[in-house]
Amino acid sequence: MNSKVIKFVAGGGKTTLSETILSNNENGLYLAFTNSVVRNIRDRGHLSRTIDSLFTSFILPKFTSAIPIIGSGSKLTFIEDSSIPNYLKGVRNIRVDLNGVIHNRAKATNFTMKTKNEELHLMDKQTNLQFLKHIFDKDELRLTHELRNSICYYVVRNYKKEIIQLLYERFSYIIIDEAQDLSGYKEEFAKILFESPIHLVILGDENQNIVSGGEWFEKLLADEVRNESFRCPDDNCKWIRENLNIEIYGNNDKSNFLIIEFEDAINYDDGIRTLLYYSHAGKNKRVISEWRGPKETIKSAKGGTILNDIVIIGNELNLKSYYTAITRTKANVYSTISKING
């Protein structure tokens, strides 16, 4: 294996390290989970993609001739709900399992990925036929995002050698950032890269796993660990160490970490502080709607840096979501969270 595993805390310099590797070595590819992180690397002149984008723009098009049900050389497009006529709404329920069997909802159809495209378009009156003819057109592959994910999983499971060869010939090395967020076909893709001859650098912080998956990365032994955050003041990090039991040490900047009452949260809106929240539900709605300053979900803020104070609202939060929220800022934290779920 030519893989290196790096586990840095939030603000520990994962993106900076990635950029250094990309700047010092030619013909690399940077992959990440979050669009904002990908754009940040791309804006600095490096080839950068989400894994979804890599498959949509580069990998799947290479397999249109290898998978019989896809018309050879098909153009790949996405189906938008607003453009689907009523008689074709069922295309949203089509999925592919790992064996290539095509399902409508949870029920297997009589079609597989080995059904030939030309035969499909000669058929008449079979159940699900109109949906499949629309998806697997003669010269166009029309996908929902869910169907894209299931086809990608099928391809990763059944064409491992071909994918590795394709990437090995194109790139000298690959970086996967935010590896704690990988699940489904993305996690399976990272696994086959990890076990391949491709030079792979895989980075993440398992304590920021607030999406799903991540168990595989969490079990990997790290070649390099960093518990120092260049972003977070150590006053905030001390609170995290003492209350969340996560070993993180910050810079020397001074800050305040204050627990406030939920009813007082709106009083901390000075037009500059950023409001962070997990969901728009319940009593959060009122504060969110009245907030004049910047506001984001914790998920959307993940991967970025907030220079000013943050206000975190809600009654309770998952430990990893709370850690992710706190570590976004270089400044003060005001939080209404009264219960932390482990």
Side-chain angles (χ1 to χ4, degrees), residues 256-273:
N256 291 311
F257 189 103
L258 297 177
I259 300 296
I260 62 175
E261 296 295 328
F262 187 93
E263 292 72 19
D264 294 333
I266 197 65
N267 297 327
Y268 287 82
D269 181 9
D270 60 359
I272 299 175
R273 293 185 177 118

Side-chain angles (χ1 to χ4, degrees), residues 30-35 38 48-55:
Y30 175 89
L31 299 173
F33 184 82
T34 308
N35 281 314
V38 166
S48 177
R49 295 281 189 274
T50 63
I51 295 177
D52 283 339
S53 173
L54 176 70
F55 270 78

Side-chain angles (χ1 to χ4, degrees), residues 11 66 69 93 109 116-117 142 177 200 220 302:
I69 199 169
N93 303 319
T109 70
K116 292 183 179 179
N117 184 268
R142 301 184 180 99
D177 200 354
L200 177 71
L220 293 178
K302 184 173 172 291

Side-chain angles (χ1 to χ4, degrees), residues 23-74:
S23 297
N24 293 336
N25 301 275
E26 296 182 350
N27 200 31
L29 171 66
Y30 175 89
L31 299 173
F33 184 82
T34 308
N35 281 314
S36 60
V37 176
V38 166
R39 284 194 298 270
N40 185 30
I41 293 292
R42 185 185 301 138
D43 289 345
R44 298 178 189 182
H46 306 295
L47 183 58
S48 177
R49 295 281 189 274
T50 63
I51 295 177
D52 283 339
S53 173
L54 176 70
F55 270 78
T56 301
S57 64
F58 182 66
I59 294 178
L60 284 186
K62 303 294 185 182
F63 287 87
T64 59
S65 299
I67 300 174
I69 199 169
I70 302 175
S72 182
S74 286

Side-chain angles (χ1 to χ4, degrees), residues 51-241:
I51 295 177
D52 283 339
S53 173
L54 176 70
F55 270 78
T56 301
S57 64
F58 182 66
I59 294 178
L60 284 186
K62 303 294 185 182
F63 287 87
T64 59
S65 299
I67 300 174
I69 199 169
I70 302 175
S72 182
S74 286
K75 177 179 69 172
L76 195 155
T77 60
F78 281 96
I79 298 170
E80 302 297 335
D81 282 355
S82 59
S83 66
I84 306 176
N86 287 332
Y87 74 95
L88 285 175
K89 295 292 186 185
V91 298
R92 296 176 297 187
N93 303 319
I94 301 298
R95 304 286 187 275
V96 176
D97 70 18
L98 297 181
N99 296 314
V101 177
I102 298 173
H103 292 247
N104 187 342
R105 297 188 187 274
K107 186 176 180 181
T109 70
N110 293 322
F111 301 91
T112 75
M113 298 296 277
K114 294 182 179 180
T115 302
K116 292 183 179 179
N117 184 268
E118 55 269 29
E119 293 177 0
L120 173 72
H121 285 277
L122 289 174
M123 293 179 186
D124 187 26
K125 297 183 179 179
Q126 284 91 339
T127 305
N128 300 305
L129 190 59
Q130 61 183 349
F131 304 144
L132 297 187
K133 282 186 176 181
H134 183 72
I135 292 168
F136 302 102
D137 208 342
K138 294 178 181 180
D139 57 4
E140 188 170 356
L141 174 60
R142 301 184 180 99
L143 300 176
T144 62
H145 290 283
E146 291 77 10
L147 180 57
R148 184 271 314 276
N149 290 346
S150 66
I151 289 179
C152 288
Y153 214 149
Y154 167 79
V155 170
V156 171
R157 276 289 182 91
N158 292 277
Y159 295 90
K160 294 180 183 179
K161 291 182 180 178
E162 292 83 352
I163 291 174
I164 294 303
Q165 187 64 30
L166 178 67
L167 296 174
Y168 186 78
E169 291 176 354
R170 173 63 180 83
F171 303 106
S172 299
Y173 62 95
I174 295 174
I175 299 171
I176 298 182
D177 200 354
E178 304 178 294
Q180 75 280 345
D181 292 323
L182 300 177
S183 62
Y185 90 86
K186 300 179 186 70
E187 184 174 74
E188 194 71 18
F189 174 62
K191 288 179 183 179
I192 69 170
L193 289 184
F194 186 78
E195 296 165 357
S196 79
I198 293 173
H199 292 286
L200 177 71
V201 179
I202 186 164
L203 307 100
D205 175 12
E206 54 211 40
N207 289 307
Q208 290 188 76
N209 174 17
I210 64 172
V211 185
S212 62
E215 291 83 4
W216 171 74
F217 176 73
E218 188 169 342
K219 293 175 182 177
L220 293 178
L221 294 177
D223 297 294
E224 188 174 346
V225 174
R226 180 178 291 165
N227 294 321
E228 179 187 3
S229 175
F230 301 112
R231 177 195 301 141
C232 302
D234 196 54
D235 292 322
N236 295 348
C237 292
K238 181 181 178 182
W239 191 93
I240 292 172
R241 292 195 301 271

